[in-house]
Amino acid sequence: MTDDIIDIRHLTKVFHTDNGDVEALHDVTLNFPRGGFTSIIGPSGCGKSTLLRIIGGLDTDYDGEALMDGQPIPGPGRDKGFVFQDHRLLPWLSVRENIRFALPPEHKKDDELIQSNIDLVGLTGFEDALPKQLSGGMSQRVAIARALANRPKILLLDEPFGALDAITKIKLQDQLLRIWQSEHITMVIVTHDIDEAVYLGQTVVVMKPHPGEIKRVEHIDLGWPRQRIGEAFNTAKDSIYQEFFATN
Ligand SMILES: Nc1ncnc2c1ncn2[C@@H]1O[C@H](COP(=O)(O)OP(=O)(O)O)[C@@H](O)[C@H]1O
Ligand SMILES: [Mg+2]
């Protein structure tokens, strides 16, 4: 039996707006294995962010069930880390203080914990830098360190590398994989980049266009470390590519 950390059952989400109801997710049933790396891919507006927000407890108004460790997700908490496309760092605080700011009161003075997370994302030496002194990639690494410092059970990443250049993106993907392998945290990444979905995910969830439904859940049968080129990777990518653009 697989051990799932997240269990989503018949999840439907409707936004009630002044212009009428918008169904963002329709009858989604999905599991995320504990310690796994899952990619969610789908066209813009298909409900990826909505799904991630519900898993993260940022949205608790829906029909169906969203369970973590078998219990309904009551709201946001330190067991769930979030990384968004924009780093959301406080501009007046240094790298070190941005991470400290996110820690619970009992850990605020734990300089070792802060340093270990700065080291984990490869930013040793930049502790005192302000966000404006960092590149986009470095800022995203701080955002990852900040999320990890709370030792979440699950890290939820919503297009975290979407605004980065191709080379920086590749470096951060590799760093994220190293962190996943060393820290054993369940990772879920939302992306609209097929390469990224296949390179990172043990499983790729392909969503249909709006309203969001699951089109297919594909296991990526490639080991680690993965090669970004070559036949095996291209075959896996082709199959996701075909799913992504298939009309049914
Ligand atoms: N707060 C909101 N109010 C109304 N509609 C929303 C809200 N958030 C998202 N939606 C709608 O729900 C659908 C899914 O949005 P989203 O989850 O952001 O998609 P994605 O992340 O895949 O681009 C879209 O049609 C979007 O317009
Ligand atoms: Mg989104």
Side-chain angles (χ1 to χ4, degrees):
M1 202 182 90
T2 54
D3 176 20
D4 292 320
I5 181 166
I6 300 288
D7 204 349
I8 296 185
R9 297 181 196 155
H10 304 295
L11 176 69
T12 292
K13 168 72 192 181
V14 178
F15 288 105
H16 305 286
T17 74
D18 292 345
N19 300 319
D21 289 354
V22 179
E23 191 177 38
L25 295 170
H26 179 75
D27 196 16
V28 169
T29 293
L30 200 57
N31 305 315
F32 298 117
R34 190 180 306 282
F37 205 132
T38 305
S39 303
I40 300 174
I41 191 164
S44 184
C46 77
K48 303 181 295 296
S49 295
T50 302
L51 178 61
L52 213 62
R53 286 172 55 80
I54 289 173
I55 297 168
L58 300 178
D59 185 343
T60 53
D61 176 22
Y62 50 78
D63 291 319
E65 285 184 294
L67 308 175
M68 182 168 173
D69 291 324
Q71 301 297 319
I73 298 164
R78 300 194 189 284
D79 53 350
K80 302 178 283 292
F82 250 106
V83 179
F84 301 94
Q85 185 169 335
D86 49 332
H87 54 70
R88 304 188 184 189
L89 299 176
L90 298 171
W92 59 89
L93 292 182
S94 67
V95 167
R96 183 191 287 112
E97 296 311 313
N98 260 287
I99 296 173
R100 193 190 308 283
F101 187 83
L103 289 172
E106 67 271 24
H107 289 143
K108 286 228 187 279
K109 291 190 177 139
D110 192 342
D111 288 327
E112 224 168 279
L113 173 70
I114 295 170
Q115 189 65 48
S116 69
N117 283 284
I118 293 174
D119 297 345
L120 190 63
V121 298
L123 284 178
T124 316
F126 290 92
E127 294 79 2
D128 296 317
L130 289 170
K132 67 176 180 203
Q133 297 171 306
L134 304 175
S135 67
M138 290 161 92
S139 301
Q140 277 309 69
R141 288 198 257 162
V142 181
I144 293 170
R146 178 182 55 185
L148 290 173
N150 280 310
R151 285 287 161 265
K153 288 187 196 167
I154 186 166
L155 188 63
L156 304 162
L157 304 115
D158 194 352
E159 303 191 19
F161 310 140
L164 303 177
D165 67 85
I167 303 292
T168 305
K169 192 173 180 172
I170 283 174
K171 285 185 185 159
L172 263 71
Q173 287 166 350
D174 284 330
Q175 188 153 43
L176 191 63
L177 280 177
R178 282 197 295 273
I179 292 170
W180 170 61
Q181 284 163 348
S182 69
E183 307 302 306
H184 309 288
I185 292 172
T186 306
M187 301 252 183
V188 180
I189 188 169
V190 160
T191 178
H192 49 230
D193 177 339
I194 295 176
D195 265 77
E196 180 165 271
V198 174
Y199 185 68
L200 295 176
Q202 293 172 307
T203 306
V204 176
V205 176
V206 183
M207 291 180 70
K208 292 183 190 175
H210 176 76
E213 284 182 60
I214 305 302
K215 196 178 216 179
R216 195 182 167 94
V217 177
E218 185 117 2
H219 181 69
I220 304 298
D221 203 11
L222 299 172
W224 312 95
R226 286 186 175 166
Q227 306 295 321
R228 291 179 186 272
I229 49 170
E231 203 182 321
F233 187 66
N234 280 329
T235 304
K237 220 167 66 180
D238 285 355
S239 109
I240 299 295
Y241 194 87
Q242 280 168 18
E243 274 309 322
F244 195 88
F245 292 105
T247 47
N248 52 18

